[in-house]
Amino acid sequence: MKKLQIAVGIIRNSQHEIFITQRAADAHMANKLEFPGGKIEADETPEQALIRELQEEVGITPHSATLFDKLEYAFPDRHITLWFWLVERWEGEPWGKEGQPGRWIAVSELKADDFPPANAPIIAKLVNAV
């Protein structure tokens, strides 16, 4: 079974909106919404991977990131460990640098069913924190 470590950025602005993107039609969990991020390489820490992935995917450089949660999730074909980082200070304006749609959404509008199932506890934690 494939084992993956993933760094995820919860990019939250001063209005407490979250920047989300949409997964590609040919990706695992196609067309679902997601918090930007990606695989942690063998020579990276989760925080280093977060910085690299946010630069590659949404064109921002985080100034600080706080570990929001870490969880594990098993799909039939893979086991993933997700490192969720809260990013509230960054340089640049996030956008879908890889052609993926992206937008700001109010925390109250986050719906777990729109995201991959591993995100459900994180969405609940974000919504309950407001």
Side-chain angles (χ1 to χ4, degrees):
M1 180 177 295
K2 192 187 294 189
K3 293 185 181 217
L4 301 171
Q5 298 268 334
I6 311 287
V8 181
I10 302 168
I11 305 165
R12 184 167 69 183
N13 66 19
S14 59
Q15 293 82 41
H16 286 250
E17 297 169 319
I18 308 288
F19 188 78
I20 56 168
T21 56
Q22 186 173 0
R23 296 181 64 79
D26 61 349
H28 180 254
M29 304 300 295
N31 298 318
K32 291 279 193 181
L33 298 179
E34 68 178 351
F35 304 107
K39 293 181 192 86
I40 300 170
E41 302 295 339
D43 61 342
E44 291 179 312
T45 67
E47 193 167 14
Q48 288 170 331
L50 173 75
I51 293 166
R52 178 184 52 75
E53 286 288 345
L54 292 184
Q55 289 170 337
E56 291 174 2
E57 280 191 28
V58 295
I60 66 168
T61 301
H63 287 291
S64 66
T66 305
L67 187 60
F68 185 73
D69 210 341
K70 177 186 169 190
L71 60 85
E72 300 196 18
Y73 194 85
F75 289 98
D77 64 336
R78 65 190 74 195
H79 182 273
I80 58 173
T81 301
L82 294 150
W83 301 76
F84 288 91
W85 298 88
L86 187 59
V87 178
E88 295 182 298
R89 293 186 28 228
W90 63 88
E91 182 180 322
E93 185 59 35
W95 62 289
K97 198 172 169 185
E98 298 174 331
Q100 74 279 35
R103 70 186 196 305
W104 291 101
I105 185 170
V107 171
S108 61
E109 294 177 25
L110 294 172
K111 307 260 183 293
D113 289 346
D114 294 339
F115 290 77
N119 290 265
I122 300 305
I123 291 169
K125 188 173 176 179
L126 283 168
V127 170
N128 290 330
V130 173

